[in-house]
Amino acid sequence: MRLVSGSNGISRRTLLKVGSAAAGVGALGALGGLARPALASSTSATITFAYFGDPKQATSMQASLLPLVKKADQNADLKVVGYNGTDWNDFFAKILTQIAAGAPPDIVGVATEGVQLMAGKDLAIPLDDYVKRDMSELKEMFDDVDPILIEGLMYDGHLFELPVNFNAGNMFYSTKLFKQAGLERPPENWTMDDFHGYAKKIGALPDVNAFDWIVRLWGSWTSFMYANGGNLLEEQRFDNGDWLWGAAYPGNDAVKTRKGGWKWGAPTANSAPTVEALQLMIDLRKEGLAPSPDVGGGGTLQGLFASNRIGMTIGGGFWAGGLHNAGMTPDSFDVQYFPKWKEQKHLFGVVGNAILKSSKNQDLAWEVVKQLSAADAFDLQFPGNATTPVRRSLMTAERYKSTGPEHWNVFYDTLTKFPNTTPIPAPPYYNALANALNRRTTEAVASGNAKSALDGLQKDLEAAAKV
Amino acid sequence: MRGEALFGYAMILPSLLIVMLFTAGPILASIGLSFYSWDVISPPRFTGLDNYEQLAADQTVLHSFAVTLGLAVSIVVLEILIGLGLALLVQQRRNTFVRATFRTVFYLPLLASASSVAIVMGYMFDQKFGVINYYLGLLGIPNVPWLTSDFGATATIVIIAVWQQVGFAFVLFVAALSTMPQDVLEAATIDGAGPGHTFLFVKLPMISPTILFVAVVGIISAMQLFDQPYVMTKGGPGYSTTTTVLLIYQTAFQNLQFGYGSTISVLLLLVLIVLTAMQFFGARKLVFYQ
């Protein structure tokens, strides 16, 4: 595949080679002489799998997953590469640079944050034909996975990934601090007023933040925004996904409301419910019930929670493993659905594996992708409850026996109990959105003025949507 | 004679090639790419002066330059004042072991990776669990939002940059003070000049070339500040610590606007050239050369 413009005659790879050293930029005119085919053909049957996480785990993951790849093709080999970063936008920046440099992986583990980025930029291939061909084989997987998660991996009616794990934004709480504050487990249908009441009681304890949160798209003040009926972008959906639902979920009523993937429309970042949600976070800080949040992935927050300095915070299934690793016993924390405000709407993000268009071994990559979504592959990729499996059959009491929480069923039941659970708004310009969201959120917290900051975010998103 | 010249050129050729490849090359490439629209994935598209038109109306870029300049001036002024002060104090010590120890201690932070330092400092300055706020708390001072308020974040970045860079200025000032001609200082003493007058009218003019050097190098370095805001604040709160290089990184690598990112970097290059020229121009009147 040669990505060369007809008029300019400069390949993107040539540009990157010559000028990327410091600023990651390319070269002009004279560089034409250095141009060569953008991607050399490969005869290797090695599949490169890139994931977002600790690079140090790549070797052990490679060893664990290799037998699965051999199952797909005895001659195939596997190379696993991990990329770390503060959040998904850092990961995508690195993957895109790899693609531009002519060294793309074959398979990339991509969360909701990047599904539309990969699909919208024509980097990943739709899996429709493979899925149709192997539907009888995949039926077992679809039967085990809630269709909400599948729809989260669709774009413009096409399925771009097979799912592996997900996390919905629930409310974690410290059972120790609840006990000290004289509080019982909140009911499933608790409200925002209840939440505020709980927060006040926990906030009365010494050296404790009743609630804490981090600045990012998933599980931040955005959870409050969803519960308040707001969003950063207009919620729309693509129509053309029927090819999948009829074949993968025949006779399943749950797919009647499913369509062809989420279509994020015009920015609505300064709409009334969105402003109200962010203002609530500011007000919690003013009341002394929540501190100023950090920007990032949540590691620090888990540490603070594990040391009983936080009463409540937003978390998903990945918190179970995180808190366990931080030293919490299974009974020292628990989880409940996110409280109802205008509605009890939750957000979620789902991670699957996509095949890059540039892969020279797409057929083999597909076989590997199927293996990575197999039930027995989950714990090889994510040992120790590091995330929530998309397969309902893997959600067992035994799984959460050593880590907790007691009400682990909340993680998956969020999808079935609340069919309005919606993925985080991640359009093809997710990276720009994430940067703008982080900036404007910290601005709002520092200034105490949510409206002004979100007016700025609205302008940022309008500009980003145009690029 | 011609052979000697050729030999000279041959000697500098390796350095020249390295500079061309790793310094001039990327600069020329950036200038070239600033006339293109390129998202790394699609082929680059020639857009003429569109990026420059966008730049002229982009308040975010203007703001980033104001932020960067403010940080750079604060950092360099503090570096010079603290570096010179420490150098004067160390220079007064007669014990060579003490002098060597201080020289090493003040220079050590410079050897550490800026990113690593920023990560550790980020924890130290954290509002919720940072050790800085812990000790301030013991003094009865409430938690300071070091990284989550406009002023706090700016001040923290300045403090950390100065802490790490001051060793560079310090070592240069120590060297300048050490090589100062003793006869001039003795003449000043014989003429009745006290320590203050000696410093202001003898020492300061004689180390003014070093001050100029520290200022020029410091400004160029500080105008490219990236690690600390990237690691600790991500440019926030809002845009309060968004330096120009951070904005270039986010524009190019995260927002995938490599052409426009290059345009900003070209502007940064021009600003640096102008700032350096201004410093050298001002130096003609202020710097004393023996």
Side-chain angles (χ1 to χ4, degrees), chain A residues 228-251:
Chain A
N228 201 31
N231 206 325
L232 299 175
L233 305 170
E234 276 179 2
E235 290 178 15
Q236 300 163 1
R237 280 192 278 182
F238 294 104
D239 284 325
N240 42 349
D242 293 343
W243 67 271
L244 177 64
W245 304 123
Y249 295 91

Side-chain angles (χ1 to χ4, degrees), chain A residues 8 12 15 23-26 28 86 90 93 96 100 121 123 212 291-292 294 300 309 431-432 435 439 442-443 446, chain B residues 29-30 32-33 36 38-41 44 46 126-129 148 230 234 237-239 242 250 253-256 258 262:
Chain A
N8 300 319
R12 56 175 170 71
L15 278 164
V25 296
L28 285 179
T86 309
D90 286 337
L96 292 170
K121 295 277 183 188
L123 294 170
D212 202 354
S292 295
D294 295 319
T300 306
R309 300 203 29 205
N431 275 8
N435 277 332
R439 281 184 197 293
T442 53
E443 179 187 328
Chain B
S30 291
L33 194 58
Y36 281 74
W38 189 42
D39 65 357
V40 194
I41 302 152
F46 183 75
D126 191 280
Q127 184 186 356
K128 290 173 267 189
F129 59 84
T148 52
Y230 175 72
K234 298 286 180 198
Y239 285 87
T242 300
Q250 290 179 335
F253 285 90
Q254 295 198 317
N255 297 356
L256 301 180
F258 278 79
S262 297

Side-chain angles (χ1 to χ4, degrees), chain A residues 67 149 153 211 297 402 432 451:
Chain A
L149 302 173
L153 297 174
F211 174 76
S402 61
K451 179 70 170 67

Side-chain angles (χ1 to χ4, degrees), chain A residues 131-184:
Chain A
V131 170
K132 286 174 192 166
R133 188 192 71 188
D134 296 344
M135 184 56 84
S136 58
E137 186 187 344
L138 292 170
K139 192 69 179 55
E140 168 269 335
M141 184 204 73
F142 285 122
D143 285 346
D144 207 12
V145 178
D146 194 288
I148 289 181
L149 302 173
I150 299 293
E151 191 185 30
L153 297 174
M154 294 179 82
Y155 180 68
D156 199 11
H158 304 288
L159 182 66
F160 279 88
E161 300 177 26
L162 287 193
V164 179
N165 67 90
F166 82 102
N167 285 289
N170 301 125
M171 188 70 82
F172 274 71
Y173 61 93
S174 162
T175 50
K176 182 181 176 184
L177 294 178
F178 262 50
K179 197 174 177 184
Q180 284 179 15
L183 294 169
E184 297 289 328

